[in-house]
Each structure stands twice: as structure tokens, then as C-alpha cells.
Amino acid sequence: MRNTQQQDLQLKQERLQKAIRNAKADGCLVSTNINLYYLCGCVYNGYFYMPAEGEPHFFVKRPNDFSGKNIHNIRKAEQLPDLFKAAGIPLPEHLLLEADELSYTEYIRLQHIFNPRITSNATRLLRELRTIKTPWEIGQMRITAKAHALTYSQIPECYRPGMTDLELQYEIEYRMRKNGSVGFFRAFGNNMEIFMGSLLAGENAEMPSPFDFALGGAGIHPSSPLGANGTLLTPGTSVMIDMSGNYTAYQTDMTRVYAIGKLPEKAYKAHETSRQIQEKIIGMARPGTPCSQIYKIAEEIAVQAGLSANFMGTRQKAKFVGHGVGLQINEPPVLTPRSVEILSPGMTFALEPKFVIPGTGAVGIENTFLVTENGLEKITRFPEDIVELTK
């Protein structure tokens, strides 16, 4: 029987309730958009409360047409204790709050309202739960991956001689929206702002950025120093396209490389090395594989190819070769040399071994993988060769 979203929500809520009990907490209060969608299947202004025992409750400010079971209309958080009492919900002595996502003011406000004996961090707990995808979530990611590939198949028709990187990106973004992109690109943490993805051409691929992505780029304004910057697409330039796969709430991550004419031989060698890294990891990664081992294998292959200086950047190197993907583009696990995480069935992650060739640009591939009981399944399926946009 096909897993419906309603069945999926029930499964997630049961997982959360079990995690609350394991944490020896009395309840979890959620109010951020990502976690509300994860647990409720929608976004609203208000609070979701899951007790350690019993049914969840929804405290809603907006929209005013929200309907269903255990719905409580609310104007401000200070009403919560009275509403809890009226609904027969015990006030929690040990409360879980989204400590890493709430503002300091809101966190202190909620502590004052509930006055729990203990307050613990729900953000970490929820991110750990979200690491293992449900069958419905995996289905959503497959839908996204299919639309992601459709958009990439249309990239050659976007190019015209004399374009800049920005002009090419505009054309790709137009097709993304026509193909169903929801527009929002959701990421966790500070220094993670981006608009519908990244396109890096030529020397701009070497430009450092304060944003915590694999590669940077100067961007078009000091307020958003990331990505395309108006570089003219001239012969011998590589164009790395890492546009977001956000065609459902669940994202896929995929990078492909295009070229203006022929690239230097070193660029093709580096690109092939990226593919060799991917195939090596597909061959060895299984449930139980340490994420740190994946990074070390990628780094070793880059060194053996004589490309260590180009691996994951030049002027500023990324210290990871992959990351979890889901409702946000940067979920656990992270593939770093110091990661303590291990692969488990149901995880989805992006593997992105990339190289920067000075004077040419970035090359390499990125794909999204599902960890199964038997190994890795590539979700993003699209040709991986460097495609020449002009002969």
C-alpha cells in the first residue's frame, strides 16, 4: 500500500514522541517553519506541542481557517498555560525548545511562560530524527530529482554566445520555476543564504566567500557575496552549475559542468578524478561506514591524482566533501575528516568532490544518494560528462 502523507505524519509524530520519552522530557514545543512542516505537513504561525504521552496539540495564530483535531486559536504565547489547563495537558517540567533556531528573546519568553524545571534543546533532537527519511519523504525526493534532471537537460538551450554567467543563470532560473521549483532554498544556520542555487564561471570559482558552501564566488553585491558575478563566458571557461533541486519541500543536490568550447587537459583530468571518487565511494559505502572515511578516501584519490592543491577550492578550501540533504540543504550527516557520524539506512546525502583549476574554473560532479541496507542508491540521475555549450 502506498504511504500517504497523513500516514507519514503519524509515523514522524510517533518517532518524536518516542524521542521525547528517551530524553526523559515531558514535551516538545515547535514553532519554526521547517519543523512545523516536518511534523504537521504545513506551515502556520503558532506552536505545535507533542507531549510524551497522548495526542499532539496545535496552537494557531494564523491562518484563521486552520481546522482539524486539537486546534486551539491563540493570539500570544502567554495564553499557552491557560490553554494547556483547559485541554487537560499537564505543564511540562522538562521542556524541549528549538534552542538553536529561536531568538534569544523568544527562548527566554517561553521559558518564563512555562517555567519548566529543565529546558533542553529540541533542535538537535529534531535534526537527528530528520536524518533518517521516511518512505514518503524518499518518494518526494525522487519527484524532485526527476524535475531537477529535466531542468538540467534544458541548460544548453539557455546559452547564447556573448552571455555573462548572470544572464545564463537567469535563463536557468526561469526554467526552474516553469518546471515546478517552489523557489525557497532552505538551509540551516548562519552564513547559509543563497537564491535558487549557484553558478560559477571561470576565475570567479576561486573567489572566497563567507557563506558555508563548498565553493564561493564573489556575487553581485557586498550584501550577498556568493555565486555569479557577471563573468563573461569566453572560450576556455568552465561553467559549474549547482542550481537547487527544490521541486517539492524535499531537496536534491546536483552539480554538473558545462564548457565554453574546449577546456585545458587538466580540467578534464580533474573532472574524471571526481567521477573516480564517486565510483570508489559507491563501491565501499554501506550502513555502518564512518563519514570521516568517505572524506579521507576522496582526499587520498585527489592526492594520488596530483590534484591536492585544487581539491575543494584553491584560495579557500571547503573542509567537507558532502552533506545530508532533505528539507534543508545542509542536514546531517556531514562528510568531514573529523565527523563522528556513520551511515545508516534511510539517510540521504550529497557527495560533491570538486576541483578548481585557476584560469579555467571549477569542475567535478555532485549527486544525491540514498543509503539503503545494501549500499548507496544514486537519486539524481543525469549525464556526468562536461558538456560543451558551443563548439
Side-chain angles (χ1 to χ4, degrees), residues 199-258:
L199 188 153
L200 293 173
E203 294 180 357
N204 188 43
E206 288 194 84
M207 294 297 294
S209 170
F211 295 99
D212 195 17
F213 293 95
L215 299 179
I220 60 174
H221 192 269
S223 67
S224 52
L226 179 74
N229 68 339
T231 294
L232 186 64
L233 303 182
T234 56
T237 298
S238 75
V239 184
M240 174 169 279
I241 295 177
D242 187 5
M243 300 302 292
S244 62
N246 51 359
Y247 298 87
T248 69
Y250 290 86
Q251 302 182 58
T252 52
D253 210 356
M254 179 168 65
T255 297
R256 294 295 185 266
V257 174
Y258 298 79

Side-chain angles (χ1 to χ4, degrees), residues 77-141:
E78 283 70 17
Q79 295 174 269
L80 287 169
D82 288 340
L83 289 169
F84 270 48
K85 184 177 180 180
I89 311 168
L91 286 178
E93 291 190 15
H94 182 178
L95 177 63
L96 293 162
L97 294 176
E98 298 161 291
D100 293 340
E101 296 160 284
L102 297 176
S103 69
Y104 174 80
T105 300
E106 180 69 2
Y107 184 82
I108 295 299
R109 178 189 185 192
L110 290 170
Q111 279 193 314
H112 178 74
I113 289 168
F114 284 96
N115 193 28
R117 182 172 53 86
I118 302 172
T119 308
S120 298
N121 190 357
T123 297
R124 180 176 297 178
L125 181 147
L126 285 162
R127 279 174 64 79
E128 288 177 357
L129 287 179
R130 284 171 26 209
T131 298
I132 306 300
K133 304 303 186 289
T134 66
W136 185 83
E137 290 178 299
I138 294 168
Q140 293 297 294
M141 293 185 72

Side-chain angles (χ1 to χ4, degrees), residues 13-288:
Q13 292 172 12
E14 289 171 355
R15 286 182 177 180
L16 173 60
Q17 200 162 48
K18 181 179 179 181
I20 293 169
R21 291 195 293 265
N22 288 341
K24 295 181 171 30
D26 299 310
C28 178
L29 190 73
V30 170
S31 61
T32 61
N33 288 350
I34 285 291
N35 289 325
L36 285 173
Y37 183 82
Y38 177 73
L39 293 165
C40 309
C42 63
V43 173
Y44 62 89
N45 187 338
Y47 304 92
F48 170 88
Y49 182 74
M50 175 61 79
E53 302 289 346
E55 297 181 332
H57 288 257
F58 308 81
F59 300 90
V60 182
K61 298 178 185 178
R62 299 167 66 97
N64 59 12
D65 62 349
F66 203 88
S67 62
K69 188 178 182 181
N70 295 335
I71 306 297
H72 312 271
N73 294 320
I74 187 173
R75 291 182 293 104
K76 56 184 180 179
E78 283 70 17
Q79 295 174 269
L80 287 169
D82 288 340
L83 289 169
F84 270 48
K85 184 177 180 180
I89 311 168
L91 286 178
E93 291 190 15
H94 182 178
L95 177 63
L96 293 162
L97 294 176
E98 298 161 291
D100 293 340
E101 296 160 284
L102 297 176
S103 69
Y104 174 80
T105 300
E106 180 69 2
Y107 184 82
I108 295 299
R109 178 189 185 192
L110 290 170
Q111 279 193 314
H112 178 74
I113 289 168
F114 284 96
N115 193 28
R117 182 172 53 86
I118 302 172
T119 308
S120 298
N121 190 357
T123 297
R124 180 176 297 178
L125 181 147
L126 285 162
R127 279 174 64 79
E128 288 177 357
L129 287 179
R130 284 171 26 209
T131 298
I132 306 300
K133 304 303 186 289
T134 66
W136 185 83
E137 290 178 299
I138 294 168
Q140 293 297 294
M141 293 185 72
R142 294 190 194 282
I143 293 170
T144 287
K146 186 174 181 180
H148 207 168
L150 173 62
T151 295
Y152 275 43
S153 73
Q154 298 168 347
I155 288 173
E157 70 188 51
C158 296
Y159 174 75
R160 297 185 304 276
M163 270 185 152
T164 66
D165 56 357
L166 286 167
E167 290 169 333
L168 178 59
Q169 185 164 349
Y170 303 153
E171 294 293 330
I172 297 170
E173 288 173 356
Y174 170 68
R175 285 160 178 81
M176 288 172 65
R177 295 309 302 270
K178 285 192 70 174
N179 291 334
S181 169
V182 299
F184 287 132
F185 184 97
R186 289 189 162 105
F188 177 80
N190 298 324
N191 295 323
M192 291 298 293
E193 298 171 349
I194 194 170
F195 181 71
M196 293 182 73
S198 177
L199 188 153
L200 293 173
E203 294 180 357
N204 188 43
E206 288 194 84
M207 294 297 294
S209 170
F211 295 99
D212 195 17
F213 293 95
L215 299 179
I220 60 174
H221 192 269
S223 67
S224 52
L226 179 74
N229 68 339
T231 294
L232 186 64
L233 303 182
T234 56
T237 298
S238 75
V239 184
M240 174 169 279
I241 295 177
D242 187 5
M243 300 302 292
S244 62
N246 51 359
Y247 298 87
T248 69
Y250 290 86
Q251 302 182 58
T252 52
D253 210 356
M254 179 168 65
T255 297
R256 294 295 185 266
V257 174
Y258 298 79
I260 311 303
K262 291 290 184 183
L263 302 181
E265 188 58 36
K266 187 174 183 179
Y268 293 105
K269 176 185 176 182
H271 190 79
E272 184 58 30
T273 302
S274 176
R275 296 175 69 173
Q276 291 170 4
I277 290 170
Q278 175 183 259
E279 293 311 305
K280 177 70 173 181
I281 290 168
I282 290 173
M284 58 74 62
R286 297 288 185 274

Side-chain angles (χ1 to χ4, degrees), residues 314-331:
T314 51
R315 294 172 57 185
Q316 179 173 282
K317 288 179 173 289
K319 299 303 181 182
F320 63 91
V321 75
H323 52 87
V325 180
L327 285 172
Q328 293 172 318
I329 200 64
N330 55 335
E331 297 190 348

